[in-house]
Amino acid sequence: MDFFFRPKSIVVIGASLNPQKLGHQVLKNIIEGGFKGKLYACNIDPSVKKVLGVKNYPSVLDIPESPDLAIFVIPAQAVPSVLEECGKKKIKGAIIISAGFKEIGPEGEKLENELIKISKFYSIRILGPNCLGLIDSISRLNASFAPSFPKKGNIAVISQSGAVCTAILDWAQVAEVGFSRFISLGNKADVTEIDLLEFLEKDKATELIIAYLESIGNKVDDGRKFIEIAKKLSLKKPLIVVKAGKTEKGAKAIATHTGALAGSQKAIDAAFLKSGVIKADSLEELFVLAKSFSKIPLPEKKEVLVITNAGGPGVMATDALEAANLPLAKLEKGNLEILKKNLPKAASLKNPVDLIGDAKADRYELALKVGLKDKNTGAILLILTPQTATEIEKTAEVISEKLKTKNEKRKAKNEKPIFPIFIGGEKVKKGIRILEKAGIPVFGFPEKAVNVLKKFIEYRNWKEKIKKAPQPVSIEIEKYGKENVAAWIKEERLKNVFHLGDQIADEILRTYKIPVLKSRLVQSATEAIAASRELTFPVVLKISSPDIIHKSDVGGVKVDLKNEEEVKRAFNEIIKNVKRKKPKARINGIVVYPMAKKGIEFVIGVKRDPLFGPLIMFGFGGIWIEVFKDVSFRLAPLTPEDAKEMISEIKAYKLIKGVRGQPPLDEKAIIDTILKVCKLIQDQPEIEELDINPLLVYEKGVLALDNRILIKK
Amino acid sequence: MDFFFRPKSIVVIGASLNPQKLGHQVLKNIIEGGFKGKLYACNIDPSVKKVLGVKNYPSVLDIPESPDLAIFVIPAQAVPSVLEECGKKKIKGAIIISAGFKEIGPEGEKLENELIKISKFYSIRILGPNCLGLIDSISRLNASFAPSFPKKGNIAVISQSGAVCTAILDWAQVAEVGFSRFISLGNKADVTEIDLLEFLEKDKATELIIAYLESIGNKVDDGRKFIEIAKKLSLKKPLIVVKAGKTEKGAKAIATHTGALAGSQKAIDAAFLKSGVIKADSLEELFVLAKSFSKIPLPEKKEVLVITNAGGPGVMATDALEAANLPLAKLEKGNLEILKKNLPKAASLKNPVDLIGDAKADRYELALKVGLKDKNTGAILLILTPQTATEIEKTAEVISEKLKTKNEKRKAKNEKPIFPIFIGGEKVKKGIRILEKAGIPVFGFPEKAVNVLKKFIEYRNWKEKIKKAPQPVSIEIEKYGKENVAAWIKEERLKNVFHLGDQIADEILRTYKIPVLKSRLVQSATEAIAASRELTFPVVLKISSPDIIHKSDVGGVKVDLKNEEEVKRAFNEIIKNVKRKKPKARINGIVVYPMAKKGIEFVIGVKRDPLFGPLIMFGFGGIWIEVFKDVSFRLAPLTPEDAKEMISEIKAYKLIKGVRGQPPLDEKAIIDTILKVCKLIQDQPEIEELDINPLLVYEKGVLALDNRILIKK
């Protein structure tokens, strides 16, 4: 990627004499930005000798050397042929700013496909098309049509929307943040955020990456790749992503519950969780988090000290902390003594420490000093309201003095994070400016600071979890189980059966040592009675048909049959019901099961996400799944820790731990089953979806009662 | 209250010659604020003839007339005696700015109680103590120590925190909002927000009230009063409240589930819901809502048109709308045609209307014009990102031109609300300023605007609901039922029994025509068998003891007893268990019930909130209540519409409507039962808490299976 960020030579294709044209602006930006390398203009008009003092070549083929980078600012139709010339010229990278490709419809898509072909054939990497370009504050390259060069800083920006790029640049001017590299992705015909993350992971100038994405990568494999590189990167530096297009209309036809609930957004959330990506829910949150992660050190512990000059906002901060599950720090005894000795009698020493309304800068200084050295305090919220006696500017100076070095350096030294919260408007403005100038972000409201702190803690926890390399898990299955199951699936498919229920699904799970019920497939009431005797009463009868997914809906299930008479009647009724309601369904017969012991109903499911692979779901099952949607998701592969997390995330976890004197359920067996399902789905690429609902969970053990598997068509 | 807001004459008690003293500042503020009435100073030093040109009287008793209002800025200890003099002088109101009362502890509380006594004796109303004072922009009275006089406007402010007062004043200076009346409540010794709301309801200068509250009123009755006046007011003008102190530690010992879940915050939420109060969750939200409700007209319908010059932010707006349950408008055909004819080919006409990146002001003008006249559109989100071609200022001008008159007037005419969303920082600043100057609030991010719109719609819906006067409901109960139940409760209480379970609770519910099981109290196994025969097998045996709340926990319940032998064994086991685990419990005997028909378990409960009265809970019951906390709350009295709302709010409502082919449950019977419980709790003031858990709900009918009632000690 070096030829994009540190090219030795550049040609601007479409360099124009007309200052109104983008081709002029881009060249001008490169020159004015301070690019140090060789620069060539390429304008097809042979009468043009120079553009902005740069020598013009009507064709790239005429240029005496092979430039590292070509920047395209010509009409879309002309791009492919010139790109081909660039390929021939062995140019390494192209930034295609020109629009008129995939984004305008099928016609443009065709054009874009040509670019992709040329790119592959000549090994020329493409950024764009339809992008704003690229800005590099380190190498002083402004290869974009953004007129302003952002301040140099430690944040790299990747954006899939040009408009968001311009908004971020505009925001940066007031937010006192600077950028290392700034990349507009455009249509992602070739280069995607994955390539860029790979580059930025090693980039010393970048300490934090923020990204606006509408999709992940540009091909099927990219989901996995994204996770891999994002994880590697997140261990070194934070990656904050806002992903647009969050809400999803529920799928219409549901074959499995997992299919209905495991939308692509769940997969993305799971991917972010797996790879330590910090998710921002809006552009606003992205901005706040970007600034905070770039400037504030991460806390070593989550206990928070609140310092305030007013009770009300102190209460609001406490509310926000409690909602975010962040505890208030208990100050060390000695530190409490210092506060007691030096603060007025009316001050409240119990965290939140209320310096009361007439607090001048000295009280803030004292409390801050105490908080910074207090061993029980992980982070400090410092609230100021503009009261009559309040020394706003002086307090701001005290804070920035107390933090001595800029936050950036404190960050490097991992010092305690301080969140100044200045509530108001006109009067607090000057204090805010002093702090922001000193590199200390100021918050307008307690809730905002608490949200940042929460993300800090989550990121820190993720890193710690990942650093503890988990024990490898080995899941034992039946001998030749993998091969057998693959063979059975193949067989079913040959029969044009893609929905495996009942015995075959049970058999597959059994092969992976997941407990299922014994069963018998029978063709007559007499056979049903014999089977019932063998399996012992009471029994359940279910229709077996590849064409009937929801058996109860067609009267295809009869439960708790206690004797031969009941079994006989049930058999006949089921046949009658099904023939009436689904006359065309293929019928294998009726399956006889013993009644399962009562247990609590959970669900384990899998849906293969097209981008990220198997997405595994655990939750509260039975019909409750549709009512409460109390489920959690993770992407395969899973560690036992992941499985444990999935279980403890759902509300019904209380049931597993034992509620109201009821005994706890077998959590270990659930973890085990989740891991087995995970192995199954990884072993068997032909399985698309899988539903164990209910998975009955007991004080000891589990039972996969009702199972269905969808295989690829 | 007129003497507070429009006094004809004022005396400042503690008027000081020293400019550093609050007593000086307050007098100065009154003079400089432009107060038109008579003004007196009161400084005990007889050598002082005038303060700031105002004639001094060492005692209020010396003043030649009775001033309407006295403002106290003297040490706390001196306040009571001077207040008494004010009483004698027949002064009507006192603003006590002085601090040093309840807020400093028991000593100050004593002093404050003196004030209250004097206030009652002399009928002198007190605002404060420990407050910032009061500012009235209409009568030009600045009776506070806030140095800046806020702009005149249509918002009244009530704040229980002086610091929040100063923050609001400071915010107002940058936010282009103005205030009608501005009141700092202080300790609420006498005047509370309830008095003020009563005044503001009729106040023509006030179109909107915002309040920061830490408590409601200052005495037991005030919860009900607050609801009454807030409701009356909300029908006329919006009341936005931020209530600090939201989170609550769960109660430790739970006698009823309702008691555990129905915290005071739930009661406040229910009170706001009942009275149409718009709840802000943070100061930030309060600020945004205040500005929006004061300046933007309410929508007539909830369909939203999104206009944007960039796809990404358009998607984010759509996400936010979907999450808020606000639909995108389908433009009228003719209007779509206009857009199609006039916008470039690449523009997207499907809502969000994407004007694309090179949109200048004219495209915004066109789209806005179309949106304003479109009959399917209720509100417009207008997104601008600062791209190269974007005419930020011109677009801002076009918008304010299109809205022609100031939003305040559009508001009066109930025109369509427009939410300009300018995303960025430095460049968009000027555009934002143009709009804000024209009285049009601008949002920085789509999510912010959508949240406001959501609150608009909720407020509008509430008003519509209230305006439709509901049919009065008459609940029939047993003859003399009210008197009988009151008598039984009295009797139990004489026996020192405060926890009524089993038969007595059942009997009370039966009296209110709520279906309960028949039962028999028995003293021996033989009696138990006879009762079982009478009630028909299978039966349930339960210990009956006023000292055992959780019967299962002590082995005091045996279910599904199918024959005499089982009943006998169960009887003896229960007695044995209870004697072992609760040897000191008073035992009435054992109650025999028939087994109830299986049904879905819900819960109805009541907790009498000390402030707001009976808080009624409905939810998903059984043990699930602790797991999912899937419950809703309303304050009594209830209309059938309220009950219906309660039911439809919980997630398990899906079960009631019938999930996965299961038949729907008897919603009408649930509504009926909720209303009966409501009548019961209103009839019987001695009942503190009530729990019907589970309330079994069937396809037809309900059954209150396990009931407990706590009465006042």
Side-chain angles (χ1 to χ4, degrees):
Chain A
M1 292 274 121
D2 256 25
F3 44 87
F4 277 122
F5 296 100
R6 284 181 287 264
K8 291 201 187 69
S9 47
I10 300 176
V11 52
V12 176
I13 295 161
S16 168
L17 291 171
N18 180 350
Q20 295 302 315
K21 293 266 177 149
L22 279 190
H24 183 91
Q25 285 165 30
V26 170
L27 182 58
K28 196 169 163 223
N29 281 346
I30 296 175
I31 296 167
E32 290 183 353
F35 175 64
K36 298 278 185 289
K38 276 294 268 177
L39 201 49
Y40 306 95
C42 177
N43 181 321
I44 38 166
D45 181 352
S47 72
V48 174
K49 296 301 168 206
K50 282 191 171 191
V51 183
L52 287 161
V54 175
K55 192 169 175 197
N56 185 49
Y57 297 86
S59 159
V60 284
L61 296 172
D62 304 336
I63 301 173
E65 64 159 326
S66 275
D68 279 346
L69 184 63
I71 301 169
F72 283 72
V73 210
I74 55 175
Q77 288 74 7
V79 173
S81 60
V82 183
L83 185 67
E84 188 140 25
E85 288 177 4
C86 289
K88 284 179 185 155
K89 192 76 185 173
K90 301 209 182 312
I91 288 175
K92 291 171 198 140
I95 298 176
I96 302 179
I97 289 173
S98 320
F101 293 88
K102 206 172 61 188
E103 79 280 7
I104 63 157
E107 209 178 315
E109 195 167 358
K110 226 174 110 191
L111 222 48
E112 190 160 322
N113 286 337
E114 281 185 53
L115 301 190
I116 297 170
K117 266 187 223 151
I118 297 165
S119 152
K120 282 198 183 129
F121 188 82
Y122 292 101
S123 296
I124 179 170
R125 300 302 309 262
I126 298 174
L127 180 66
N130 184 32
C131 75
L132 197 83
L134 170 159
I135 304 174
D136 190 310
S137 312
I138 312 304
S139 69
R140 300 290 309 165
L141 171 62
N142 181 0
S144 82
F145 59 90
S148 51
F149 207 107
K151 270 205 331 186
K152 193 168 152 174
N154 60 358
I155 307 177
V157 180
I158 301 173
S159 169
Q160 204 174 335
S161 152
V164 171
C165 281
T166 57
I168 291 176
L169 285 171
D170 201 31
W171 159 73
Q173 286 192 50
V174 296
E176 303 274 353
V177 297
F179 300 126
S180 54
R181 332 272 177 184
F182 191 100
I183 309 112
S184 167
L185 279 172
N187 294 0
K188 303 206 281 193
D190 172 28
V191 169
T192 71
E193 72 281 3
I194 298 169
D195 304 288
L196 295 170
L197 292 177
E198 229 161 346
F199 169 81
L200 294 169
E201 188 245 323
K202 296 186 194 79
D203 181 26
K204 287 203 181 100
T206 299
E207 290 172 22
L208 163 67
I209 295 106
I210 65 174
Y212 168 91
L213 297 176
E214 294 176 354
S215 61
I216 301 292
N218 62 7
K219 51 189 167 302
V220 161
D221 264 5
D222 280 352
R224 288 271 141 201
K225 260 198 194 154
F226 176 88
I227 291 177
E228 195 184 303
I229 171 68
K231 190 170 168 182
K232 197 169 156 200
L233 183 145
S234 295
L235 276 167
K236 281 199 198 170
K237 34 190 137 181
L239 166 59
I240 308 168
V241 178
V242 61
K243 166 82 179 59
K246 285 192 291 262
T247 46
E248 299 171 286
K249 303 270 176 198
K252 290 283 150 59
I254 38 164
T256 67
H257 291 289
T258 313
L261 291 175
S264 64
Q265 191 53 41
K266 299 281 185 218
I268 284 183
D269 285 350
F272 285 7
L273 216 55
K274 204 169 191 80
S275 50
V277 171
I278 298 144
K279 190 183 147 202
D281 278 326
S282 64
L283 266 188
E284 181 179 20
E285 197 182 4
L286 181 72
F287 287 1
V288 174
L289 290 177
K291 196 165 163 178
S292 303
F293 270 92
S294 108
K295 300 201 173 200
I296 310 177
L298 292 181
E300 293 286 316
K301 48 170 63 183
K302 62 179 179 174
E303 284 75 16
V304 183
L305 171 65
V306 180
I307 300 169
T308 179
N309 70 341
V315 173
M316 305 186 98
T318 311
D319 282 351
L321 287 169
E322 190 159 333
N325 224 348
L326 295 173
L328 286 168
K330 274 196 178 168
L331 286 180
E332 289 177 288
K333 233 177 169 183
N335 289 330
L336 261 180
E337 284 302 317
I338 296 175
L339 289 180
K340 199 170 175 183
K341 208 184 290 171
N342 293 285
L343 291 180
K345 220 179 108 190
S348 165
L349 304 182
K350 203 179 157 287
N351 192 359
V353 173
D354 189 347
L355 309 174
I356 61 175
D358 59 350
K360 296 191 192 298
D362 59 337
R363 279 189 217 155
Y364 276 102
E365 187 171 8
L366 175 82
L368 192 52
K369 200 174 136 191
V370 163
L372 281 171
K373 71 172 185 176
D374 186 72
K375 290 209 177 73
N376 298 339
T377 296
I380 301 173
L381 303 188
L382 198 147
I383 301 171
L384 177 143
T385 56
Q387 305 193 48
T388 314
T390 313
E391 296 173 333
I392 298 169
E393 288 162 69
K394 201 168 164 196
T395 306
E397 274 155 16
V398 160
I399 299 171
S400 64
E401 171 60 26
K402 205 85 227 145
L403 305 191
K404 272 180 206 119
T405 52
K406 287 206 176 188
N407 248 348
E408 277 108 66
K409 283 189 195 148
R410 297 187 65 242
K411 203 159 136 41
K413 287 197 281 170
N414 241 336
E415 286 184 39
K416 224 172 262 186
I418 318 289
F419 298 83
I421 299 159
F422 280 34
I423 308 177
E426 186 58 33
K427 275 190 220 157
V428 294
K429 238 187 211 171
K430 279 187 192 162
I432 294 173
R433 212 166 295 142
I434 290 169
L435 285 163
E436 295 266 339
K437 278 262 153 72
I440 302 162
V442 182
F443 297 81
F445 302 95
E447 296 81 7
K448 282 277 153 74
V450 169
N451 182 50
V452 168
L453 187 53
K454 192 177 157 213
K455 297 278 183 177
F456 275 16
I457 300 279
E458 282 170 1
Y459 176 58
R460 197 205 58 174
N461 289 350
W462 177 84
K463 278 207 289 189
E464 276 173 16
K465 181 185 147 198
I466 295 300
K467 278 176 188 162
K468 283 187 228 141
Q471 295 297 317
V473 245
S474 81
I475 307 280
E476 241 189 80
I477 67 170
E478 300 283 339
K479 211 171 170 190
Y480 306 118
K482 184 173 169 183
E483 295 73 14
N484 285 341
V485 169
W488 298 337
I489 289 174
K490 209 169 159 187
E491 214 172 288
E492 291 297 314
R493 203 211 230 121
L494 284 173
K495 289 189 282 182
N496 243 351
V497 173
F498 304 104
H499 168 254
L500 318 183
D502 314 316
Q503 291 192 299
I504 170 83
D506 290 350
E507 203 47 44
I508 291 174
L509 294 183
R510 198 196 320 272
T511 306
Y512 278 78
K513 296 197 171 172
I514 295 166
V516 292
L517 285 176
K518 272 190 198 167
S519 61
R520 293 286 173 267
L521 181 69
V522 299
Q523 305 298 339
S524 68
T526 321
E527 275 181 48
I529 290 167
S532 303
R533 261 194 241 119
E534 185 201 340
L535 298 167
T536 71
F537 288 101
V539 295
V540 175
L541 264 55
K542 278 189 196 179
I543 190 73
S544 171
S545 159
D547 303 316
I548 300 173
I549 296 183
H550 298 297
K551 298 175 210 276
S552 303
D553 297 357
V554 297
V557 182
K558 297 280 167 187
V559 304
D560 202 13
L561 308 168
K562 295 192 187 76
N563 51 48
E564 302 192 357
E565 187 48 41
E566 285 183 17
V567 167
K568 190 177 159 191
R569 203 184 319 131
F571 186 95
N572 294 327
E573 269 181 40
I574 288 178
I575 295 293
K576 209 177 73 190
N577 289 341
V578 171
K579 286 225 164 121
R580 204 180 61 235
K581 293 201 181 164
K582 285 265 188 183
K584 287 183 185 158
R586 292 170 287 179
I587 292 176
N588 302 329
I590 283 182
V591 185
V592 184
Y593 290 96
M595 276 291 276
K597 203 176 77 185
K598 260 196 172 180
I600 309 279
E601 297 187 328
F602 288 86
V603 58
I604 296 178
V606 187
K607 185 185 180 186
R608 203 174 284 277
D609 184 77
L611 207 49
F612 295 106
L615 180 61
I616 297 165
M617 179 178 91
F618 173 73
F620 194 46
I623 59 163
W624 310 116
I625 184 173
E626 289 178 30
V627 176
F628 291 109
K629 297 189 176 78
D630 184 27
V631 292
S632 61
F633 293 93
R634 288 293 186 283
L635 285 165
L638 296 179
T639 64
E641 289 73 30
D642 292 330
K644 163 96 193 161
E645 263 183 33
M646 290 178 77
I647 295 172
S648 59
E649 257 170 35
I650 68 167
K651 284 190 181 166
Y653 183 55
K654 281 195 184 167
L655 284 172
I656 296 169
K657 298 296 283 181
V659 79
R660 284 197 66 192
Q662 297 208 344
L665 302 176
D666 194 340
E667 188 169 345
K668 219 190 129 292
I670 305 175
I671 294 178
D672 203 49
T673 310
I674 293 176
L675 294 175
K676 282 170 180 167
V677 167
C678 183
K679 179 165 171 59
L680 167 62
I681 193 83
Q682 289 188 284
D683 277 358
Q684 309 292 345
E686 298 301 310
I687 297 180
E688 278 285 279
E689 292 181 27
L690 179 153
D691 236 12
I692 302 178
N693 187 22
L695 173 81
L696 294 176
V697 180
Y698 304 105
E699 284 176 55
K700 229 173 154 53
V702 298
L703 176 69
L705 184 62
D706 200 349
N707 311 306
R708 52 190 62 171
I709 291 172
L710 294 194
I711 56 177
K712 279 188 186 146
K713 286 214 172 173
Chain B
M1 292 275 120
D2 257 26
F3 43 88
F4 279 123
F5 297 99
R6 284 181 287 263
K8 292 201 184 66
S9 48
I10 300 176
V11 53
V12 176
I13 295 162
S16 168
L17 290 171
N18 179 352
Q20 296 302 312
K21 293 265 177 152
L22 279 190
H24 184 92
Q25 285 165 29
V26 169
L27 182 59
K28 196 169 163 224
N29 281 346
I30 296 175
I31 297 167
E32 289 183 352
F35 175 63
K36 297 280 186 292
K38 277 293 270 176
L39 202 48
Y40 305 96
C42 178
N43 182 321
I44 39 166
D45 181 351
S47 72
V48 174
K49 295 303 167 205
K50 284 193 168 188
V51 184
L52 286 160
V54 175
K55 191 170 178 197
N56 184 49
Y57 297 85
S59 158
V60 284
L61 295 172
D62 305 336
I63 301 174
E65 64 160 326
S66 274
D68 280 348
L69 184 64
I71 301 169
F72 283 72
V73 210
I74 55 175
Q77 287 75 7
V79 173
S81 61
V82 184
L83 185 65
E84 188 140 25
E85 288 177 3
C86 290
K88 285 179 185 154
K89 191 76 186 171
K90 301 212 183 307
I91 288 176
K92 293 172 195 138
I95 299 176
I96 302 179
I97 289 175
S98 320
F101 293 88
K102 205 172 62 189
E103 78 280 7
I104 64 157
E107 211 179 313
E109 195 167 356
K110 226 175 108 191
L111 222 47
E112 190 161 321
N113 286 337
E114 282 185 53
L115 301 189
I116 297 170
K117 266 187 226 152
I118 298 165
S119 151
K120 280 194 184 135
F121 188 81
Y122 291 100
S123 295
I124 179 171
R125 300 302 308 263
I126 298 173
L127 180 66
N130 183 31
C131 75
L132 197 81
L134 169 159
I135 304 173
D136 190 310
S137 312
I138 310 304
S139 69
R140 300 291 308 164
L141 171 62
N142 182 0
S144 83
F145 59 89
S148 50
F149 207 108
K151 270 204 331 185
K152 192 168 153 176
N154 59 358
I155 308 177
V157 180
I158 301 173
S159 168
Q160 204 174 334
S161 152
V164 171
C165 280
T166 57
I168 291 176
L169 285 172
D170 201 33
W171 159 73
Q173 286 192 49
V174 297
E176 303 274 352
V177 296
F179 300 126
S180 54
R181 332 273 178 184
F182 191 99
I183 308 112
S184 168
L185 281 172
N187 294 0
K188 303 206 281 192
D190 172 28
V191 169
T192 70
E193 71 281 2
I194 298 170
D195 304 286
L196 296 170
L197 292 177
E198 229 161 346
F199 169 81
L200 293 169
E201 188 245 323
K202 296 185 195 80
D203 180 26
K204 287 204 179 101
T206 299
E207 290 172 23
L208 162 69
I209 295 106
I210 65 174
Y212 168 91
L213 297 176
E214 293 176 353
S215 62
I216 300 293
N218 62 7
K219 52 187 167 301
V220 161
D221 264 4
D222 280 352
R224 287 273 142 202
K225 260 200 193 152
F226 176 88
I227 291 178
E228 195 184 302
I229 170 68
K231 191 169 167 182
K232 197 169 157 200
L233 183 147
S234 296
L235 275 167
K236 282 200 198 169
K237 35 190 136 181
L239 166 60
I240 308 168
V241 178
V242 62
K243 167 83 179 57
K246 285 192 292 261
T247 45
E248 299 171 287
K249 304 269 177 198
K252 290 283 149 58
I254 38 165
T256 67
H257 291 289
T258 314
L261 291 175
S264 64
Q265 191 51 42
K266 299 282 184 217
I268 284 184
D269 285 350
F272 285 7
L273 216 54
K274 203 169 191 78
S275 51
V277 172
I278 297 144
K279 190 182 149 204
D281 278 326
S282 64
L283 268 188
E284 181 178 21
E285 198 182 2
L286 181 72
F287 288 1
V288 175
L289 290 177
K291 196 165 163 178
S292 303
F293 271 92
S294 108
K295 302 201 173 202
I296 309 176
L298 292 179
E300 293 287 315
K301 47 169 65 184
K302 62 178 181 174
E303 285 74 15
V304 184
L305 172 65
V306 180
I307 299 169
T308 179
N309 71 341
V315 173
M316 304 186 100
T318 311
D319 282 351
L321 286 169
E322 190 159 333
N325 224 348
L326 295 173
L328 286 168
K330 275 196 178 168
L331 287 180
E332 290 177 288
K333 232 177 171 183
N335 289 330
L336 261 180
E337 284 303 315
I338 296 174
L339 290 179
K340 199 171 175 184
K341 207 184 290 172
N342 293 286
L343 290 180
K345 221 178 107 189
S348 165
L349 304 183
K350 204 179 156 287
N351 191 359
V353 173
D354 189 347
L355 309 173
I356 62 177
D358 59 351
K360 295 191 192 298
D362 58 337
R363 279 189 216 156
Y364 275 102
E365 187 170 7
L366 175 82
L368 193 50
K369 200 173 134 190
V370 163
L372 280 172
K373 70 172 185 175
D374 185 71
K375 290 208 178 72
N376 299 339
T377 296
I380 301 172
L381 304 186
L382 198 148
I383 301 171
L384 177 144
T385 55
Q387 305 192 49
T388 313
T390 314
E391 296 173 333
I392 297 170
E393 289 162 70
K394 203 168 162 195
T395 305
E397 274 155 16
V398 159
I399 298 170
S400 63
E401 171 60 27
K402 206 85 227 144
L403 305 191
K404 270 180 208 118
T405 53
K406 285 203 178 189
N407 249 350
E408 278 108 65
K409 285 190 196 150
R410 298 187 64 241
K411 202 159 138 39
K413 288 196 280 172
N414 240 336
E415 285 184 41
K416 222 170 262 184
I418 318 288
F419 298 83
I421 299 159
F422 280 35
I423 308 176
E426 186 58 32
K427 274 189 220 156
V428 293
K429 239 187 212 169
K430 280 187 192 161
I432 293 172
R433 213 167 292 144
I434 291 169
L435 284 164
E436 296 265 340
K437 278 262 153 73
I440 301 160
V442 181
F443 298 81
F445 302 93
E447 296 82 7
K448 281 277 152 72
V450 169
N451 182 50
V452 169
L453 187 53
K454 193 179 157 210
K455 297 276 183 178
F456 276 15
I457 300 279
E458 282 170 1
Y459 175 58
R460 198 205 56 175
N461 289 350
W462 177 84
K463 278 207 289 188
E464 276 173 15
K465 181 185 146 198
I466 296 298
K467 278 176 188 164
K468 281 187 229 141
Q471 295 296 315
V473 246
S474 80
I475 307 280
E476 242 186 80
I477 67 170
E478 300 284 338
K479 211 172 173 191
Y480 305 117
K482 185 173 168 182
E483 295 74 16
N484 285 341
V485 169
W488 299 336
I489 288 174
K490 210 169 160 191
E491 215 173 286
E492 292 297 314
R493 203 211 228 122
L494 285 173
K495 289 188 284 182
N496 242 351
V497 172
F498 304 103
H499 169 254
L500 318 184
D502 316 318
Q503 290 191 299
I504 169 83
D506 290 349
E507 204 46 45
I508 291 174
L509 295 183
R510 196 195 321 272
T511 306
Y512 279 78
K513 296 199 170 172
I514 295 167
V516 292
L517 284 177
K518 272 190 199 167
S519 62
R520 293 289 172 265
L521 181 70
V522 300
Q523 306 297 340
S524 68
T526 321
E527 274 182 50
I529 289 166
S532 303
R533 260 196 240 118
E534 184 202 341
L535 298 167
T536 72
F537 288 101
V539 295
V540 174
L541 264 55
K542 278 189 197 180
I543 190 73
S544 171
S545 160
D547 303 317
I548 300 173
I549 296 184
H550 298 297
K551 299 174 209 276
S552 303
D553 296 358
V554 297
V557 182
K558 298 278 166 188
V559 303
D560 203 13
L561 308 168
K562 296 193 186 75
N563 51 48
E564 302 191 358
E565 186 48 41
E566 285 182 18
V567 167
K568 189 177 159 192
R569 203 185 316 133
F571 185 95
N572 294 327
E573 268 180 39
I574 288 178
I575 296 293
K576 207 177 73 190
N577 288 342
V578 171
K579 287 224 163 122
R580 204 180 62 235
K581 294 202 181 162
K582 284 265 187 182
K584 286 182 189 160
R586 291 170 287 178
I587 291 176
N588 304 328
I590 282 182
V591 185
V592 184
Y593 290 96
M595 275 290 278
K597 203 177 77 186
K598 259 195 174 179
I600 309 279
E601 297 186 329
F602 288 86
V603 59
I604 295 178
V606 187
K607 185 187 180 185
R608 203 175 285 276
D609 185 78
L611 207 50
F612 295 106
L615 180 62
I616 297 166
M617 179 178 92
F618 172 74
F620 193 46
I623 59 164
W624 309 117
I625 184 174
E626 290 179 29
V627 175
F628 292 109
K629 296 189 175 80
D630 185 26
V631 292
S632 60
F633 293 93
R634 288 293 186 283
L635 285 165
L638 296 179
T639 64
E641 290 72 31
D642 292 331
K644 163 94 193 164
E645 263 182 35
M646 289 179 78
I647 296 173
S648 59
E649 256 170 36
I650 68 167
K651 283 190 182 166
Y653 183 55
K654 280 194 184 165
L655 283 172
I656 295 169
K657 298 296 283 181
V659 77
R660 284 196 66 191
Q662 298 206 346
L665 303 176
D666 193 340
E667 189 170 344
K668 221 189 129 295
I670 305 175
I671 294 178
D672 203 48
T673 310
I674 292 175
L675 294 174
K676 283 170 180 168
V677 166
C678 183
K679 178 164 172 59
L680 167 62
I681 193 84
Q682 289 189 283
D683 277 357
Q684 307 294 343
E686 298 302 310
I687 296 180
E688 278 286 278
E689 291 181 28
L690 180 154
D691 236 13
I692 302 177
N693 186 24
L695 173 81
L696 294 177
V697 180
Y698 306 105
E699 283 176 56
K700 228 169 157 54
V702 299
L703 177 70
L705 185 61
D706 199 349
N707 311 306
R708 51 190 63 171
I709 290 173
L710 295 195
I711 56 176
K712 278 188 188 148
K713 287 212 173 175

